[in-house]
Amino acid sequence: MRRPSQLTLNFDTSRFLPLIGLLLVALIFLPRCLLVVQPGYEAVIFNRFTGVEMSPRREGIHLLIPVMQFPTLYDVRTQTYNMTSQSEEHSVKADDSLTALTADGQRVDLDVSVRYRLDPARVPEIHQNVGPGYLNKIIRPASQAVVRNVIARYSAIGVYSEQRAEIQEQIAAELSSLMQAEGLVLQSLLLRNVEFSKEFQSAIEAKQIAEQEKQREVFRVEQAELIKQRMIVKASGEAQAITLKGEALRNNPNVIQLEYVRNLPDDIKTIVSEQNTILNFGDFLNK
């Protein structure tokens, strides 16, 4: 009886090649067939045959046709664009610093925050007309242009103090109109800081000090005028009183005796004679 010296097993691997190929194709194309849209985003689909689909895909899982449909995600949450002169804000590039000229030629550095979002219903329109670069193509140039144009209508004093709220409202109104035409919604605009040159600020501070000193001087003059009026009234009253006493004395000489008696201390004992003579006998009576 012969015993085999070696046992061999033969497998036909060719039967598994189609399965392996399908698996590889699935691994390659399956991620392209599924689109996951996260909350706060919307997807615009470009179709090779029909162009941009005007109905964006909302959050959730969506099926795509590979090699035919290509998605682009857009953030529709609130975003903030800062124009600032403060170098410590590292998130802002240097070209985002904003300098403007007032109506009287004063240079002013501004810190402005623009809070905006994309209109979800118009995301496909934004994709067609502008694309994902809407910040550099719309927000940045429009914001800087509007701020400079509005600042140029006001004097430096107005920008520095009492008209700042009005300026902020004017910038927001004009910028909102420009952004709305492009499918963007302005939520708020904040004029956070206004800085002039050191020379101008020194002049403003000196003017404020002068105004305060002027107000104090006006107050002192008014107080002096009040004191003067009181003295005049008092003197007029005293003169009138003297006149009345003089007339009373002319009409009745005994009035002077009455005044003398009224002014005597309480412990003085007096006798008034009929000969218009006032005699003080207090010392004799006390003995």
Side-chain angles (χ1 to χ4, degrees):
M1 182 177 180
R2 293 185 60 185
R3 187 172 56 182
S5 60
Q6 184 177 6
L7 180 64
T8 60
L9 297 176
N10 296 323
F11 293 95
D12 187 2
T13 58
S14 61
R15 293 181 304 171
F16 297 98
L17 290 178
L19 183 59
I20 295 173
L22 290 175
L23 182 60
L24 291 175
V25 170
L27 291 175
I28 294 173
F29 287 98
L30 185 60
R32 300 183 182 183
C33 296
L34 296 178
L35 171 64
V36 179
V37 180
Q38 300 290 339
Y41 288 83
E42 293 201 1
V44 177
I45 307 301
F46 171 73
N47 192 304
R48 286 184 181 272
F49 297 101
T50 60
V52 176
E53 296 180 3
M54 300 310 295
S55 296
R57 305 289 179 91
R58 313 292 181 181
E59 60 181 78
I61 300 177
H62 304 271
L63 293 176
L64 296 177
I65 302 175
V67 192
M68 182 181 296
Q69 293 179 322
F70 301 91
T72 302
L73 291 175
Y74 283 88
D75 189 347
V76 295
R77 298 170 297 181
T78 298
Q79 303 178 59
T80 301
Y81 166 56
N82 291 318
M83 294 174 284
T84 178
S85 59
Q86 302 297 325
S87 59
E88 62 265 19
E89 295 192 22
H90 302 291
S91 61
V92 181
K93 297 181 180 179
D95 58 357
D96 285 338
S97 60
L98 183 60
T99 300
L101 292 177
T102 62
D104 45 4
Q106 288 291 336
R107 173 176 172 174
V108 55
D109 295 324
L110 302 164
D111 291 350
V112 182
S113 291
V114 180
R115 299 180 70 250
Y116 67 96
R117 62 179 176 84
L118 279 64
D119 186 348
R122 300 179 64 183
V123 170
E125 178 184 341
I126 296 173
H127 183 72
Q128 280 185 316
N129 298 335
V130 182
Y134 51 84
L135 173 62
N136 293 325
K137 295 179 180 179
I138 298 177
I139 302 298
R140 177 177 285 124
S143 300
Q144 295 181 356
V146 170
V147 171
R148 289 191 175 102
N149 289 339
V150 173
I151 292 296
R153 302 172 195 162
Y154 293 85
S155 65
I157 297 298
V159 177
Y160 189 82
S161 56
E162 69 271 10
Q163 291 180 304
R164 186 176 301 188
E166 177 184 337
I167 292 172
Q168 179 174 293
E169 293 177 0
Q170 189 69 28
I171 294 173
E174 296 187 15
L175 183 58
S176 177
S177 179
L178 291 176
M179 292 173 58
Q180 186 177 7
E182 301 292 343
L184 301 166
V185 178
L186 177 65
Q187 293 188 299
S188 64
L189 182 136
L190 303 176
L191 185 57
R192 297 182 288 114
N193 188 37
V194 176
E195 289 188 359
F196 288 87
S197 63
K198 293 182 179 179
E199 294 77 11
F200 180 80
Q201 291 182 358
S202 299
I204 291 295
E205 292 174 359
K207 182 178 179 181
Q208 290 177 341
I209 293 173
E211 287 291 334
Q212 294 173 357
E213 184 63 30
K214 180 180 178 181
Q215 292 176 0
R216 285 194 291 266
E217 187 64 28
V218 170
F219 177 76
R220 286 193 289 265
V221 171
E222 291 176 349
Q223 290 295 106
E225 185 66 24
L226 290 175
I227 294 173
K228 177 182 176 182
Q229 293 296 329
R230 285 199 296 268
M231 294 178 65
I232 291 174
V233 171
K234 182 178 179 181
S236 177
E238 291 176 349
Q240 187 176 6
I242 291 173
T243 301
L244 293 175
K245 288 180 181 179
E247 292 178 356
L249 184 60
R250 285 194 299 269
N251 296 331
N252 188 359
N254 293 329
V255 171
I256 189 171
Q257 297 175 358
L258 179 62
E259 289 295 323
Y260 177 78
V261 171
R262 285 178 177 176
N263 293 326
L264 287 175
D266 295 336
D267 58 348
I268 299 298
K269 297 179 181 181
T270 61
I271 298 176
V272 181
S273 68
E274 295 180 355
Q275 288 75 24
N276 300 327
T277 303
I278 301 175
L279 298 177
N280 185 357
F281 292 98
D283 294 336
F284 299 99
L285 296 176
N286 290 332
K287 291 181 180 180

